[in-house]
DNA sequence: GATAAGATCATCT
DNA sequence: GATGATCTTATCA
């Protein structure tokens, strides 16, 4: 068990990966400590065609990972906090943002937000570019067979293209942000 | 000129 | 009071 999702899982459009990512388990290992959280809210970013995506700005170094392999972790710093994303599609700088997690292992909490999520899991620039498709990485995704209802809604917290239905979250889950 | 790091202002709790 | 896919300034190439 606890086998990381294959790279092929992420080699699809963000809007296809995002909803499938819900209910999956995010594993964060810090030394011998392991945090496990269920993904309950995500947000898809398409890339160059998405005005709200960082890649749309035409960056090359800061968003380097976005242009790289799918399944890689993209750590983005917002103000004094960090945000965790996972890269999708090789050709496009698209990715999926983890907005909220439901604590499975009870050694952490307050994960109902992008910045809070990273703070709780102690995610820093050190994890930038980490391969999340390997179960020996400090950060990876594990499959789950749980049943739940997915809700699609408009994105939040951005100024451009905020009305695009690229936000997905588990219905009736107390850990979903705002 | 380009990349990296730190901060401010609006919205939500 | 806290959080948040942005913006400005500083340092390196």
């Amino acid at each position: 068990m606890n086998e990381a999702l294959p790279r092929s899982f992420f080699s699809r459009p963000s809007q296809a990966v995002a909803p499938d990512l819900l209910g999956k388990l995010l594993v964060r290992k810090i030394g011998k400590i392991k945090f496990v959280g269920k993904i309950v809210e995500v947000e898809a970013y398409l890339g160059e065609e998405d005005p709200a995506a960082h890649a749309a700005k035409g960056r090359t170094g800061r968003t380097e990972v976005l242009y790289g392999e799918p399944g890689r972790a993209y750590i983005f710093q917002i103000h004094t906090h960090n945000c965790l994303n996972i890269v999708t599609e090789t050709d496009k700088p698209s990715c999926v943002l983890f907005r909220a997690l439901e604590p499975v292992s009870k050694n952490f909490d307050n994960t109902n937000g992008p910045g809070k999520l990273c703070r709780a899991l102690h995610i820093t620039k050190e994890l930038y570019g980490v391969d999340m498709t390997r179960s020996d990485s400090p950060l990876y995704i594990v499959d789950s067979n749980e049943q739940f209802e997915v809700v699609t809604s408009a994105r939040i917290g951005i100024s451009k293209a905020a009305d695009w239905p690229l936000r997905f979250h588990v219905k009736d889950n107390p850990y979903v942000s705002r």
Side-chain angles (χ1 to χ4, degrees), chain A residues 24-40:
Chain A
K24 297 294 187 295
L25 300 179
L26 175 67
V27 181
R28 163 64 167 136
K29 291 191 297 184
I30 302 177
K32 60 182 180 181
I33 303 175
K34 185 164 66 176
F35 300 103
V36 181
K38 185 171 70 177
I39 303 168
V40 296

Side-chain angles (χ1 to χ4, degrees), chain A residues 26 38-43 76 78 81-85 97-103 108-123 156 167 173-178:
Chain A
L26 175 67
K38 185 171 70 177
I39 303 168
V40 296
E41 183 180 3
V42 296
E43 211 167 86
F76 171 66
I78 177 77
H81 300 288
N82 294 317
C83 291
L84 173 63
N85 308 258
L97 167 70
F98 292 81
R99 287 193 64 87
L101 294 180
E102 178 185 333
F108 71 104
D109 58 353
N110 277 49
T111 54
N112 58 324
K116 300 170 64 177
L117 183 157
C118 292
R119 189 180 61 179
L121 297 180
H122 206 283
I123 292 173
I156 299 176
R167 176 173 176 247
N173 188 296
Y175 296 94
V176 174
S177 66
R178 299 184 184 180

Side-chain angles (χ1 to χ4, degrees), chain A residues 4-106:
Chain A
L5 290 176
R7 194 174 72 97
S8 59
F9 178 87
F10 304 102
S11 300
R12 296 179 297 159
S14 292
Q15 45 190 316
V17 177
D20 285 349
L21 223 42
L22 290 177
K24 297 294 187 295
L25 300 179
L26 175 67
V27 181
R28 163 64 167 136
K29 291 191 297 184
I30 302 177
K32 60 182 180 181
I33 303 175
K34 185 164 66 176
F35 300 103
V36 181
K38 185 171 70 177
I39 303 168
V40 296
E41 183 180 3
V42 296
E43 211 167 86
Y45 285 87
L46 306 182
E48 300 174 338
E49 57 189 32
D50 188 347
H54 291 167
K57 296 177 182 178
R59 310 302 295 178
T60 54
R62 189 173 176 178
T63 57
E64 183 180 327
V65 178
L66 294 177
Y67 291 86
E69 297 178 287
R72 286 296 187 82
Y74 172 57
I75 310 300
F76 171 66
Q77 186 179 44
I78 177 77
H79 301 341
T80 56
H81 300 288
N82 294 317
C83 291
L84 173 63
N85 308 258
I86 185 167
V87 181
T88 61
E89 291 189 275
T90 306
D91 299 333
K92 297 179 181 179
S94 56
C95 62
V96 176
L97 167 70
F98 292 81
R99 287 193 64 87
L101 294 180
E102 178 185 333
V104 174
S105 58
K106 295 182 180 179

